[in-house]
């Protein structure tokens, strides 16, 4: 049985309160997680604060950059360890984790180390009222001790997406991984120690949200800022905690993203793209498409083609040959997704395919499997169309005009992402301008350039990270005015 301990001040710390870590593929207990209480949170904050002013705080940027490259190299060297840890925690297809999750774990350290090394700050020269000259310039200092609160859907990718830039900017971090996926954050502690990241710079606390490590950490006055990825409702609770002390937050939250397919789109590419955006990672991607709008001339053909793609997805554990769909993360999440499958029926949906749990072999029968599901025929007011489900499902509706597609896409409280399929550049640009989202993909989906701004509008988030935008959150910019 594996034990996932907290990582505080360079040491793995056990506690006398543990909870079970279960495999999504069969619900077997695969580990025990040591839950951090207030004492461990206090210790981690003290360690992170001390490290801020110790060797780490005095280190040259060049040395910090070198160390972060070493972290990335060590993740690559231990690729298989990270891969197995992620697969055990999530049950996702091996091909997915090995092509996306783990490589991004390494890239997130490299890219932000290089950005910090190469991005200048502003500088202005001006005439002063007495006829002299002054030069002002910007100096970036770390924000301080950063709490990094993470979800379970892309555990290593989403954690390092915050830890990479935070450390590159000279901060120290305390990570609270999801209670569902403790493994890769813990493993990263070994990597940090191995490459010589000073003690206290990277800390990990395990536990839940309310009444546990998540709440204790985000309420802690020694935490300078909070970066969070997860549900919008949780973001509201964390924002209330951050209000005490007026501490900054960066939030990447939920979505109810629209995919828009115009009749002039490359049909096969659009079908393949929406298949990915609706079903990849078993629909557990915040950027995923749960609302699909297809221009009327190709609507019936598109529904039929997507149905065939969904039905061709092989459901199974990570290593099953040709597997396209893994399990959901937990029994609780499966119950939530299946409750929406029921709700869709009661709201009057036509179930094009799926709508339940698949029959699985006995050894996998306790896993959290659901069928990829497509609905049509619901009114826009239906809860299934309004609420984030976070499962492998989508509703498809027809539209006639560009204006109608824009209105449909925008009729949501969320504003995270959209994917637009058309061969007309003018249409693409107009849609990108008109849809209220942080991220608009055209003829693509989840195609990432880490130098670009990433984040959501409306209830989907606060702020942008990525490229220099990460520097804006993870540093304080001081202006220095020098009268010559
Ligand atoms: P969640 O909000 O339930 O949990 C996320 C983390 O917050 C966990 O570590 C949890 O323990 C912690 N937490 C919960 N309540 C807390 C509290 N009161 N105080 C402090 N910490 C608390 O989210 P989840 O179920 O793990 O992830 C799925 C959600 O994340 C979906 O809504 C999805 O859209 C969203 N998400 C968004 C993005 C994005 O980039 N916008 C990316 C991935 C996931
Ligand atoms: O690619 C990223 O940097 C990122 N933050 C992806 C988020 C995916 C949501 O599930």
């Amino acid at each position: 049985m594996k034990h996932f301990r907290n990582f505080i001040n360079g040491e793995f710390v056990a506690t006398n309160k543990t909870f079970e870590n279960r495999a999504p593929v069969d619900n077997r207990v695969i580990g025990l997680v040591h839950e951090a209480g207030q004492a461990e949170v206090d210790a981690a904050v003290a360690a992170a604060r001390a490290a801020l002013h110790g060797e780490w705080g005095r280190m040259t940027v060049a040395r910090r950059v070198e160390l972060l490259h070493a972290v990335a190299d060590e993740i690559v060297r231990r690729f298989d360890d990270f891969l197995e840890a992620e697969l055990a925690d999530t049950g996702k297809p091996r091909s997915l984790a090995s092509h996306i999750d783990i490589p991004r774990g390494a890239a997130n350290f490299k890219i932000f180390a290089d950005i910090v090394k190469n991005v200048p700050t502003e500088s202005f020269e001006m005439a002063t009222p007495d006829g002299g000259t002054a030069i002002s310039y910007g100096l970036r200092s770390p924000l301080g001790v950063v709490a990094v609160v993470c979800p379970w859907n892309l555990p290593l990718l989403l954690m390092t997406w915050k830890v990479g830039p935070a450390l590159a900017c000279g901060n120290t971090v305390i990570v609270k991984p999801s209670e569902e996926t403790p493994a890769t954050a813990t493993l990263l502690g070994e990597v940090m120690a191995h490459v010589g990241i000073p003690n206290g710079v990277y800390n990990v606390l395990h536990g839940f949200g309310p009444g546990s490590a998540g709440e204790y950490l985000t309420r802690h006055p020694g935490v300078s800022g909070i970066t969070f990825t997860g549900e919008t409702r949780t973001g509201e609770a964390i924002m209330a905690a951050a209000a005490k002390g007026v501490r900054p937050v960066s939030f990447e939250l939920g979505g109810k993203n629209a995919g828009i397919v115009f009749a002039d789109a490359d049909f096969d590419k659009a079908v393949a793209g929406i298949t990915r955006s609706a079903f990849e990672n078993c629909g557990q991607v915040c950027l995923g498409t749960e609302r699909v709008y297809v221009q009327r001339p190709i609507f019936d053909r598109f529904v039929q083609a997507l149905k065939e793609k969904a039905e061709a997805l092989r459901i199974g554990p990570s290593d099953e040959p040709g597997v396209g769909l893994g399990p959901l993360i937990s029994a609780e999440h499966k119950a939530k997704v299946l409750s929406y499958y029921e709700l869709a029926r009661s709201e009057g949906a036509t179930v094009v395919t799926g709508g339940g749990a698949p029959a699985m072999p006995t050894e996998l029968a306790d896993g959290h499997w659901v069928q990829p599901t497509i609905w049509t025929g619901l009114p826009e007011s239906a809860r299934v169309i309004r609420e984030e489900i976070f499962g492998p499902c989508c509703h498809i509706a027809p539209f006639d005009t560009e204006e109608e597609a824009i209105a449909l896409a925008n009729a949501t409280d969320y504003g995270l992402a959209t994917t637009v399929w058309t061969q007309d550049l003018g249409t693409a640009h107009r849609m990108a301008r008109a849809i209220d989202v942080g991220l608009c993909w055209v003829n693509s989906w989840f195609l990432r350039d880490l130098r670009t701004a990433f984040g959501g509008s409306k209830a989907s988030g606060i702020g942008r990270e990525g490229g220099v935008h990460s520097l804006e959150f993870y540093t304080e910019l001081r202006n220095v005015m020098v009268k010559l």
Side-chain angles (χ1 to χ4, degrees), residues 318-403:
S318 309
D319 282 323
E320 183 144 320
V323 68
L325 207 73
L328 294 171
I329 193 69
S330 63
E332 192 189 8
H333 192 50
K334 178 180 176 180
K336 175 185 159 182
V337 171
L338 288 180
S339 76
Y340 276 100
Y341 285 12
E342 272 316 301
L343 181 64
R345 280 197 184 84
S346 65
E347 287 186 312
T350 299
V351 181
V352 175
T353 188
M360 297 299 283
T362 319
E363 67 278 13
L364 299 174
D366 291 335
H368 314 311
W369 312 97
V370 295
Q371 291 173 322
T373 294
I374 300 171
W375 304 286
T376 55
L378 283 173
E380 286 296 303
S381 58
R383 278 182 56 205
V384 164
I385 294 188
R386 311 245 63 81
E387 298 172 13
E388 183 187 51
I389 300 171
F390 221 56
C393 53
C394 62
H395 178 264
I396 317 185
F399 72 90
D400 292 300
T401 65
E402 205 173 294
E403 292 69 30

Side-chain angles (χ1 to χ4, degrees), residues 104 153-154 157-158 161 252 285-287 446 448 454:
R104 270 293 300 280
N153 60 326
L154 307 166
L157 186 159
L158 289 172
W161 167 244
E252 292 171 12
V285 181
C286 59
L287 313 159
F446 206 173
R448 296 282 287 114
F454 183 98

Side-chain angles (χ1 to χ4, degrees), residues 303-326:
V303 172
Q304 179 59 28
L306 199 69
K307 172 182 189 289
E308 284 165 17
K309 288 280 190 194
E311 289 172 355
L313 282 171
R314 200 181 173 104
I315 303 175
S318 309
D319 282 323
E320 183 144 320
V323 68
L325 207 73

Side-chain angles (χ1 to χ4, degrees), residues 64-75:
R64 211 158 70 210
V65 164
E66 220 171 75
L67 277 177
L68 294 177
H69 273 269
V71 171
D73 292 344
E74 186 64 7
I75 293 174

Side-chain angles (χ1 to χ4, degrees), residues 148-154 158 161-162 176-180 207-218 228-235 237-238 241 251-255 284-287 329 333 336 388 390 414 416 439 454-456 460-461:
V148 182
V149 184
C150 306
W152 43 256
N153 60 326
L154 307 166
L158 289 172
W161 167 244
K162 311 285 200 174
K176 213 300 278 168
S178 168
E179 52 274 34
E180 305 286 355
F208 304 86
S212 183
E215 181 185 334
Y216 304 151
L217 177 64
T218 51
F228 167 70
T229 307
E231 278 193 34
T232 298
R233 228 184 8 223
T234 311
I238 292 180
F251 282 174
E252 292 171 12
L253 308 176
Q284 302 166 116
V285 181
C286 59
L287 313 159
I329 193 69
H333 192 50
K336 175 185 159 182
E388 183 187 51
F390 221 56
Y414 292 106
L416 186 55
L439 302 152
F454 183 98
S460 291

